[in-house]
Structure formats: C-alpha cells, structure tokens
Amino acid sequence: AYYEPHVIILIQNYTDDNGTKQPFLSSVDDLYRWNYGFIKNLDNNKEASLKKLSDSLTVNAKTDEEKARNIYTWVQAHIKYVAFEDGDGGFIPRRAADVCDKRYGDCKDMTSILTALMQLAGLKAYFTWIGTNDIPYDYTEVPSPITDNHMIAAVQLNGQWVFLDATDPHCIFGYPTDAIQNKQALIAIDENKYELVRVPTMPATASKVIDSTFIHITPEGIKGSMVVHYNGYFGNELYDALMYKDSVGTADYVKYKLGKASNKFKVSTYEIIKANPLLREAIIKGNYEVPDYVKRAGNEIFINLNLEKFFNGPGIDTAKRMMALENDFQHTIEQYHILHLPQGYTASYIPKNFKAENDLLRFEITYEQKNNQVVCHQTIQVKYILLQPSRFTDWNNIVKQLVAQYKEQVVLTKN
C-alpha cells in the first residue's frame, strides 16, 4: 500500500429515506462518530470484581505511573492474546469483566480490560484506535476504517500520553510496540471529544546492546568469554524469543545471538540472566571458540578485532531496489573486543581511530592499548525507521566508509 498505485473510495455522505443528506466519512469527526459507536454501550466500570482487582493491583502504588505500570504488567502476564474476530467481534471490544474471566482476548479486548482497570484506579485511560506500520495512511488524510487495524490503550500521566499495547507480553511500560511508532493515534476521550496524537519514535539510545568479548589467541584460532547486555526493544525481543523455547531451541538461539567472527563460531557454555524483568533487561554470558580466525606469517600474527561486521558489501543496489528499507526500531550497539596479547608478542600495528555520522547512521571505532591488552571499541547507531529510496545514496556513502574500516587489522610481532 506504500507503493502500489491504488484508489481509495470514501463515502462522504448519503441521502436517507426522508431525502435528508447525512454525513458519513467526510472527516475525522465522522470517522470518530463511527468508531465510537462500537464502544459507547460498554459498561466496564461497574463490576465489583474488577474494582477489587484494580484495588489489589494498586494498593501499594505511590504514584499514578506506578498504578498504570502495575495494571499493565498484570494484563500482559495474565491475559493471553488471541486474535479471534467473528462478525462484529472484529470491531466491538468485549466487556472487561468477560475478558478477565476468560483470561484471553484480542487487541480490543485487552484494551477493554486495561482501560477499565485503570479508570477504576482513578487514571485517565482511554480506548485508542491506531494503524500499524503496515498501513501508510494518517487519519487526517484518509478518514476511513482502512486507516487502522489495531486498538491500544492511552493513559495520560504527568501531562504526557503513554501508549500501552498488551498484545505483546514483554513490551516495556513507556515504550510503544515497535510497529506503531510514529503513527497517528485516535484517542476516545468521550462521546463527543477525541484527540489525535502522534505516537513517539523511540530514540536510538533507548534500545542498546553492550557486548564485551575477551579474546585469547590459541594455536587453533581464538577463544574466550563474552558478556552481552540487552535492553529496550532488544531486551523485549529476547524475552519474546525465549518464551516457548526448549533447551535445544534456547541453545540454538544463544549461538545465533552471540555468533561472530566466522561460521565456525562455537559456544561451549552459556548462561542467560534476566537482570530486570520489569524493564526487560537481560544478559547472556558465554564461552566461545573460533578455529582458523587469525592469520600467521613468519613471526607476525594478523587479527581483525571487528569480529562482527554489521554492514558489508557494496550497500543498497540503487539500480534494482525501488522500495524503502524498513528497520523495526532505532538502536545502538556497543562492542568491546578485548585482545589479550600472547606471551612474547607486542602490538606492532594498531589501526587509527575513525568516526563518521549523518542523520541516518553514526559509527565510531577506536583502538587503545592497555598494558597487555588491545581494546577495539565499536559503536553503531542506526537512526531511521523507514529509509526512503531518495536517501539510499546517503546511506551507501557512509556505509562505504565503515566497510573500509572493517578491513583494518591489528598486527602482533614476536619479540
């Protein structure tokens, strides 16, 4: 729908049986009246069982934010997302009490119980229609039901809107799910009032990987240990991925997450630490080995300390690719590759530091020798969600510089 030419037909008005012209979908006001008709008959705030549940979740909360967080995390943990839509069920949320009793529901049902529990706790929470990034339209340009395919809750805390989507069991409170970043949200305040709000795009600093890899040169190649921290959307993804994996699936996933240097990478032992489940922070520790990674020539050893090359090759083929390039979320990756100098060797060549940046990508590679160690610190910051074809050349130009830096190697010479 972003690129295929297509026609959108909007029925702006119609003439009723009395000959009177009635507005239908000529504006966002019309669309809101249509949408509100699906929720106006819900009576969610009079169930004693819901009030009791809301009170139990917020009894020790000291702030409205803490109340909202407690309710959100409870719904994520106890209401299973099942996308069951039949007839009007594709539009009308089920009663919050019914969702609570059944312990499952679709996006509208999860919004129903979220808003009910929060309103019973005295919070300003509302039903909210939104389209995911699969849909290219804003409500202001296409006031039609085709502009949204999802429903979430919006709660006002400290004068700011917080968007809550409980269909993702591990989305962090305060983070919108990645598929609704930068989309227009239609928030139902009451029957006659709504707000159109742009969902924020989380900055690159909100989702980080910090990787510390310790490297020892062996006669066969390299080996060592790794400690990798994940937070933000990276942590969210990790918690989601591990949710239903058995021991074999978990081991394969860890190898995929930690893998670097070459396809001969092996993980011997590992440990997964869920450091802060509330913020979805996690750590993977592992021991690894990679045969045949270093090169030897006479009394010299050559090793590339950029064990993981995030961008390689010529970049985007601008002659063939006509579609935008999608990125789930902006992010930052920091890697510390720490080489322990083998006994009897010194670092005879260490590459120069390098950095480059534009509004799409920032990267920096620094090298430092500390006693018997050489530390390569690589920072990658990806700063786009949708990379349009008009920016492909800008992307390729900066990636070309990074690829050149990836070829640099540290040279060790035997004393």
Side-chain angles (χ1 to χ4, degrees):
Y2 278 86
Y3 298 101
E4 287 283 341
H6 58 285
V7 175
I8 299 170
I9 298 174
L10 298 178
I11 301 175
Q12 295 186 328
N13 55 68
Y14 64 93
T15 302
D16 64 17
D17 292 341
N18 297 321
T20 303
K21 185 176 288 188
Q22 301 287 353
F24 189 53
L25 290 175
S26 61
S27 65
V28 180
D29 290 347
D30 291 341
L31 176 63
Y32 181 68
R33 281 192 294 271
W34 166 269
N35 280 349
Y36 195 84
F38 298 124
I39 65 171
K40 69 179 181 179
N41 294 322
L42 283 175
D43 192 7
N44 274 347
N45 297 344
K46 295 182 180 179
E47 294 285 343
S49 59
L50 286 180
K51 175 60 176 170
K52 184 177 179 180
L53 174 58
S54 179
D55 289 346
S56 71
L57 294 173
T58 59
V59 63
N60 294 318
K62 295 180 175 58
T63 64
D64 284 349
E65 182 175 327
E66 193 175 351
K67 289 180 182 180
R69 181 186 289 108
N70 290 355
I71 292 170
Y72 180 57
T73 54
W74 185 90
V75 172
Q76 285 180 300
H78 293 87
I79 308 298
K80 185 173 179 61
Y81 172 63
V82 179
F84 178 73
E85 298 177 354
D86 181 32
D88 287 346
F91 298 93
I92 302 174
R94 293 168 181 85
R95 292 176 64 251
D98 295 337
V99 178
C100 188
D101 290 342
K102 294 177 180 178
R103 289 293 198 267
Y104 71 85
D106 63 11
C107 64
K108 301 179 300 299
D109 303 333
M110 300 184 96
T111 300
S112 182
I113 189 170
L114 268 176
T115 55
L117 291 173
M118 289 188 185
Q119 287 172 3
L120 287 167
L123 301 175
K124 297 178 179 179
Y126 307 98
F127 284 90
T128 301
W129 293 270
I130 197 165
T132 64
N133 284 327
D134 293 335
I135 298 174
Y137 321 120
D138 277 346
Y139 290 110
T140 46
E141 60 184 359
V142 182
S144 163
I146 68 170
T147 300
D148 54 54
N149 58 352
H150 196 32
M151 180 174 269
I152 61 173
V155 59
Q156 199 164 46
L157 299 171
N158 302 316
Q160 300 292 324
W161 286 109
V162 177
F163 299 95
L164 303 175
D165 182 358
T167 62
D168 184 341
H170 294 117
C171 188
I172 304 162
F173 179 86
Y175 284 57
T177 44
D178 58 37
I180 62 171
Q181 294 179 99
N182 200 42
K183 299 294 292 183
Q184 267 188 347
L186 181 60
I187 304 171
I189 306 300
D190 58 36
E191 185 168 1
N192 300 307
K193 183 180 178 182
Y194 64 87
E195 287 198 28
L196 268 180
V197 180
R198 183 76 61 184
V199 175
T201 297
M202 299 303 289
T205 53
S207 298
K208 294 184 74 173
V209 171
I210 301 177
D211 174 348
S212 299
T213 298
F214 300 88
I215 306 165
H216 297 269
I217 295 175
T218 69
E220 294 77 25
I222 60 173
K223 69 176 184 180
S225 61
M226 307 172 66
V227 181
V228 188
H229 295 247
Y230 302 88
N231 70 17
Y233 289 122
F234 284 119
N236 181 7
E237 286 183 338
L238 188 144
Y239 277 73
D240 279 346
L242 294 176
M243 197 170 178
Y244 299 113
K245 292 190 184 299
D246 59 15
S247 57
V248 174
T250 300
D252 289 341
Y253 179 73
V254 167
K255 182 180 178 181
Y256 158 73
K257 293 296 285 184
L258 298 186
K260 58 177 65 177
S262 83
N263 58 7
K264 296 181 180 181
F265 180 91
K266 300 175 185 176
V267 177
S268 54
T269 60
Y270 68 86
E271 177 186 9
I272 300 172
I273 303 168
K274 293 184 176 179
N276 188 331
L278 191 64
L279 296 178
R280 313 308 184 206
E281 293 176 358
I283 301 169
I284 301 180
K285 296 181 178 181
N287 295 304
Y288 73 94
E289 59 180 284
V290 186
D292 304 323
Y293 184 71
V294 301
K295 302 298 181 184
R296 299 174 186 269
N299 64 346
E300 293 181 323
I301 298 175
F302 299 83
I303 180 169
N304 189 325
L305 291 186
N306 297 292
L307 271 62
E308 192 164 10
K309 301 174 178 62
F310 295 98
F311 307 100
N312 219 336
I316 302 169
D317 189 339
T318 56
K320 292 184 177 180
R321 187 176 182 102
M322 304 298 172
M323 311 287 279
L325 195 64
E326 187 177 5
N327 180 40
D328 288 339
F329 52 89
Q330 298 183 36
H331 60 266
T332 301
I333 299 175
E334 284 196 65
Q335 292 189 321
Y336 297 86
H337 291 149
I338 304 155
L339 172 66
H340 292 263
L341 299 180
Q343 188 172 1
Y345 281 82
T346 57
S348 56
Y349 175 76
I350 296 176
K352 295 179 180 179
N353 298 339
F354 190 86
K355 63 180 178 181
E357 182 175 10
N358 61 16
D359 61 327
L360 303 172
L361 177 67
R362 172 182 174 266
F363 71 85
E364 183 174 5
I365 303 176
T366 64
Y367 295 86
E368 182 181 8
Q369 183 168 358
K370 296 180 178 180
N371 300 322
N372 67 333
Q373 296 178 339
V374 176
V375 180
C376 175
H377 178 202
Q378 178 182 182
T379 301
I380 299 283
Q381 200 168 75
V382 178
K383 301 184 286 184
Y384 74 88
I385 295 292
L386 204 61
L387 182 61
Q388 297 291 352
S390 61
R391 302 301 310 277
F392 284 174
T393 299
D394 297 329
W395 177 262
N396 284 348
N397 287 341
I398 193 167
V399 167
K400 184 178 179 181
Q401 299 176 59
L402 178 54
V403 170
Q405 293 302 310
Y406 278 156
K407 298 176 181 178
E408 289 283 357
Q409 300 195 48
V410 172
V411 181
L412 309 179
T413 302
K414 193 170 185 179
N415 294 337

